[in-house]
Amino acid sequence: MYHAVSAAPNDATRALSVTPEAFGEQMALLGDLGFTPVATADLGWSWRTARALPRRPVLITFDDGYEGVHRHALPVLAEHGFAATLFVSTGWLRGEHDTGGGLAEMLDWDQVRRLAAAGVEIGGHSHTHPQLDQLDDEALRWELLRCREIIDGELGAPPVSFAYPYGYSSRRVRGAVREAGFAQSLAVGNALARRRQGPYALRRVTVRRSTGIEEFGRLVEGRAITRTFARDRALTKGYAMVRRARQVRRKAIRSRV
């Protein structure tokens, strides 16, 4: 899971960005290790139909829709012939649907179309990038359907894959994503994706600015993931409890109104 690819990121995106040089080195290593990148839609289709995946499959995904994915990542992907998936928050992209929430320089729709034409799968990532599990049913449905509607209108085909903003979901959110027409969706979890996770809770491993090439190699081989992300998991569990408590309070307040 990548976010921004930038030589000079701002403070808001720095920790979850990678330099263009680091991205190029990481993609070269995937090739050297014999991995075969596949799109998220292809993974989902293979698992649903029991169709064999290529040797050593790996997903390369980008969240949010930062401009560096087109400027820096696309040439590297094209050089290696690698598939990838870009999950866009439609209200963050430059153009008529822009809500002004983007954290850095974002893609515009012409760039998204060029990415799609180059074979990058375009998936949904909500419209305004909220914590979906904190929304009521109506707002949740709007975020999903508005995102899907805009992508369909701009690209001529609805997205089939989704990624949860911040990685946050719940049984209710996953059901809403399915009802909105998405065939599979990705969380974070910092673990390898497994079929038993189900099509709407597939996990990914975070690549950060601090991820060195040796650590990257261990992560894609599935080694030392638990140790590398131990602190992240502890923080995630704690914050999950806080968010559940907030949701319970909001429901209680609404029931009294």
Side-chain angles (χ1 to χ4, degrees):
M1 179 183 66
Y2 290 95
H3 287 79
V5 182
S6 174
N10 61 19
D11 291 342
T13 61
R14 180 176 301 279
L16 288 178
S17 71
V18 297
T19 66
E21 293 77 16
F23 182 75
E25 190 177 18
Q26 290 162 2
M27 294 303 99
L29 182 61
L30 288 181
D32 291 343
L33 294 175
F35 281 92
T36 304
V38 297
T40 305
D42 291 332
L43 174 67
W45 177 253
S46 294
W47 279 356
R48 284 193 300 274
T49 62
R51 186 182 65 183
L53 286 163
R55 178 176 177 268
R56 307 201 81 189
V58 63
L59 298 186
I60 301 168
T61 68
F62 303 89
D63 283 8
D64 300 345
Y66 298 103
E67 195 272 343
V69 176
H70 178 268
R71 181 189 300 270
H72 300 300
L74 180 57
V76 176
L77 295 170
E79 176 185 352
H80 293 280
F82 283 174
T85 305
L86 167 67
F87 295 102
V88 295
S89 292
T90 49
W92 282 16
L93 302 189
R94 288 180 288 146
E96 64 176 298
H97 315 293
D98 190 353
T99 63
L103 300 180
E105 185 176 2
M106 308 304 291
L107 294 162
D108 63 33
W109 283 101
D110 284 340
Q111 291 171 320
V112 175
R113 280 187 280 273
R114 287 197 287 271
L115 283 157
V120 175
E121 179 190 356
I122 308 301
H125 197 46
S126 79
H127 184 55
T128 65
H129 203 279
Q131 298 180 23
L132 295 177
D133 60 342
Q134 300 297 298
L135 302 181
D136 62 32
D137 291 345
E138 183 178 356
L140 170 60
R141 190 179 306 110
W142 183 85
E143 282 285 342
L144 301 174
L145 293 179
R146 182 59 175 151
C147 173
R148 199 164 189 266
E149 173 189 51
I150 290 173
I151 295 174
D152 189 5
E154 293 287 350
L155 303 184
V160 297
S161 303
F162 188 83
Y164 305 110
Y166 308 103
Y168 300 151
S169 71
S170 64
R171 180 177 297 180
R172 180 178 66 95
V173 170
R174 293 189 289 272
V177 168
R178 182 179 63 251
E179 291 172 6
F182 294 97
Q184 53 274 320
S185 53
L186 303 182
V188 182
N190 287 313
L192 299 185
R194 302 293 189 192
R195 190 184 308 218
R196 63 177 177 269
Q197 294 161 4
Y200 294 96
L202 295 172
R203 298 182 179 182
R204 294 181 288 172
V205 173
T206 307
V207 183
R208 301 186 173 101
R209 202 167 190 83
S210 60
T211 304
I213 192 62
E214 292 184 359
E215 178 181 316
F216 179 83
R218 290 193 297 270
L219 294 177
V220 297
E221 293 280 10
R223 294 185 283 113
I225 290 179
T226 300
R227 183 172 69 251
T228 300
F229 294 104
R231 182 174 181 273
D232 298 72
R233 288 176 175 168
L235 291 172
T236 297
K237 288 180 180 178
Y239 193 39
M241 294 176 64
V242 172
R243 289 186 294 109
R244 281 196 294 271
R246 288 174 179 169
Q247 190 173 26
V248 169
R249 283 198 298 272
R250 278 197 292 269
K251 286 182 178 178
I253 292 170
R254 285 197 298 268
S255 68
R256 292 197 297 267
V257 174

